[in-house]
Amino acid sequence: MAGSGDVRMRTIYRGMRRTFTTWIVAALTNLGIESNATVEATIAGWQAFMEEIVVNWIDEPTLERGEMVDLCERIFYHCLPAAGISVEQIVAATVVATASESGATQL
């Protein structure tokens, strides 16, 4: 879709990608992970990877749905160190997120 010859479609697609990147960056920031241009580019690249995995899965679901979702999530966490985010930061953010989720379910 990003390579569409239709300028309007590319504009919509890029706008959606920017919006999703903004949401993900905001979520990471809320977990204490700082963002920069490298992190944002990495997230945009991960989205392209994920979109390809999902589109291929829709056409030919060779993985179980849960396996496909887990793959996309694992790849995300493996991309972050390439963007300069340490494993320690990822672990700390995961602990914060897990604590927030368990606190929310106890209400």
Side-chain angles (χ1 to χ4, degrees), residues 45-75:
W46 169 75
Q47 287 180 75
F49 171 84
M50 186 183 67
E51 290 163 3
E52 185 67 18
I53 293 291
V54 171
V55 168
N56 285 332
W57 180 80
I58 290 169
D59 291 342
E60 191 175 332
T62 56
L63 299 171
E64 294 294 322
R65 182 184 180 280
E67 292 174 315
M68 185 261 310
V69 170
D70 287 343
L71 174 63
C72 290
E73 183 177 353
R74 283 192 317 269
I75 292 296

Side-chain angles (χ1 to χ4, degrees), residues 2-3 13 24 33 38 43 47 54-55 57 59 66 74 85 89 91 98:
Y13 180 80
I24 294 168
I33 295 176
T38 303
I43 291 169
Q47 287 180 75
V54 171
V55 168
W57 180 80
D59 291 342
R74 283 192 317 269
I85 298 171
Q89 288 174 289
V91 169
T98 302

